[in-house]
Amino acid sequence: MTLEELVREVPELEEYTRYMPEELWQRCSIRVYPPGTIIHQKDYKLEHFGLIAKGEHRVINEFQNGNVYMIEKNEPIDFVGEVTILAGMEKTSVTIETLTETTVAFFSRKDFEDWISKDIHFLRLVAHKVAYKLYRSSYNRGARLFYPPHFILLDYILKAAAAMDIEKKHEIILPKTRQALYEECGITVKTINRTVKKLKDEGLISLRKGKISMTSEQYRKAQKVIHHYVNYEDWSS
């Protein structure tokens, strides 16, 4: 697949490639990754910039003790390596793992650096995306530091339920393992198990074959419990 063909498939890319230097159209490589693939590894030398055209991915931080912490989930259009390059660093600071089949257009690091030096429109798009992620991270970071696990996990479940359209389905089952919840919520598995039991005893959730489930009635009850905490309509932002 060529970049021209990809732009035809994903018209939103046109805004990003509108003023791209002509020579870069031929120096781009397109790669398609299956779900669960690492496309960007922490602490590796960064040699390429990626423009994610299709697919969802998660950004995680891996530590030497084996713990994994999920920073965020992202949807296209997004980038690979932009923070490292803009910061002038040699090595990557995070790992990116695909959640769905993902299509990425790759350029060499030098080509990306030349591109943003010549194309102020593209530089603004990249800067806006980086600033938005930083804003979102800063806005939400205090919750994990200030609120107890009971609120953090319930907030996560409520957001997931809203995203799964619980009001229409009347009941949802959260397809997450305890390990996944640990990575995404930043709460230890032991604490998650204890918190799940507490939420179940309070009638805010149920369990279906070990998975967390929630009915629309429990959803509304849970909203009242922490209605002051967050606006659940903002799950997609």
Side-chain angles (χ1 to χ4, degrees):
M1 177 186 291
T2 65
L3 183 56
E4 290 90 343
E5 292 171 335
L6 185 59
V7 172
R8 284 196 292 271
E9 283 190 22
V10 186
E12 293 83 1
L13 280 177
E14 190 279 330
E15 184 178 9
Y16 295 82
T17 59
R18 187 177 302 164
Y19 305 110
M20 186 177 74
E22 286 294 328
E23 62 271 18
L24 297 192
W25 286 91
Q26 304 306 318
R27 296 215 290 263
C28 168
S29 62
I30 311 297
R31 301 180 191 175
V32 180
Y33 298 94
T37 303
I38 300 296
I39 61 176
H40 183 79
Q41 184 73 53
K42 179 182 178 181
D43 286 330
Y44 275 53
K45 183 177 180 180
L46 182 71
E47 297 181 342
H48 295 87
F49 162 80
L51 186 56
I52 300 178
K54 298 180 182 178
E56 299 178 2
H57 63 276
R58 67 174 188 159
V59 180
I60 58 180
N61 206 339
E62 301 173 289
F63 299 95
Q64 291 183 349
N65 61 7
N67 288 336
V68 175
Y69 175 75
M70 193 188 82
I71 300 172
E72 61 189 7
K73 287 183 181 178
N74 292 315
E75 299 177 348
I77 305 297
D78 204 4
F79 311 117
V80 175
E82 80 284 8
V83 172
T84 300
I85 296 173
L86 291 175
M89 304 303 290
E90 182 182 30
K91 295 183 178 180
T92 56
S93 61
V94 296
T95 294
I96 296 178
E97 180 185 21
T98 61
L99 295 173
T100 62
E101 184 175 88
T102 300
T103 303
V104 187
F106 281 105
F107 303 83
S108 72
R109 177 169 182 157
K110 184 180 185 306
D111 279 345
F112 173 74
E113 291 171 341
D114 290 343
W115 183 2
I116 59 176
S117 71
K118 298 174 182 176
D119 184 353
I120 188 66
H121 174 73
F122 180 61
L123 177 59
R124 283 175 175 167
L125 291 173
V126 174
H128 176 267
K129 179 71 75 171
V130 172
Y132 173 73
K133 291 179 181 179
L134 178 60
Y135 176 88
R136 181 175 59 185
S137 176
S138 299
Y139 190 87
N140 294 326
R141 187 177 302 277
R144 292 180 177 178
L145 297 175
F146 180 77
Y147 289 99
H150 179 86
F151 282 84
I152 295 173
L153 184 58
L154 187 57
D155 172 51
Y156 178 92
I157 296 169
L158 283 168
K159 287 179 176 179
M164 296 170 71
D165 207 4
I166 190 171
E167 293 289 8
K168 288 185 178 179
K169 296 180 179 177
H170 303 299
E171 182 177 11
I172 59 93
I173 296 177
L174 193 64
K176 297 287 182 178
T177 64
R178 298 295 194 268
Q179 180 65 25
L181 290 174
Y182 152 66
E183 293 177 8
E184 298 187 26
C185 296
I187 306 172
T188 67
V189 173
K190 182 178 179 180
T191 302
I192 285 175
N193 289 333
R194 185 168 60 245
T195 305
V196 166
K197 182 179 184 304
K198 184 177 179 181
L199 293 176
K200 181 176 180 293
D201 291 344
E202 292 175 358
L204 299 176
I205 64 170
S206 301
L207 292 177
R208 297 281 185 270
K209 296 183 178 179
K211 299 291 185 181
I212 295 171
S213 68
M214 175 177 274
T215 65
S216 53
E217 182 180 354
Q218 289 172 326
Y219 176 73
R220 288 187 288 272
K221 181 179 178 181
Q223 282 183 310
K224 291 179 181 179
V225 171
I226 54 173
H227 69 280
H228 62 282
Y229 179 53
V230 71
N231 180 358
Y232 301 105
E233 299 304 319
D234 291 340
W235 171 247
S236 61
S237 63

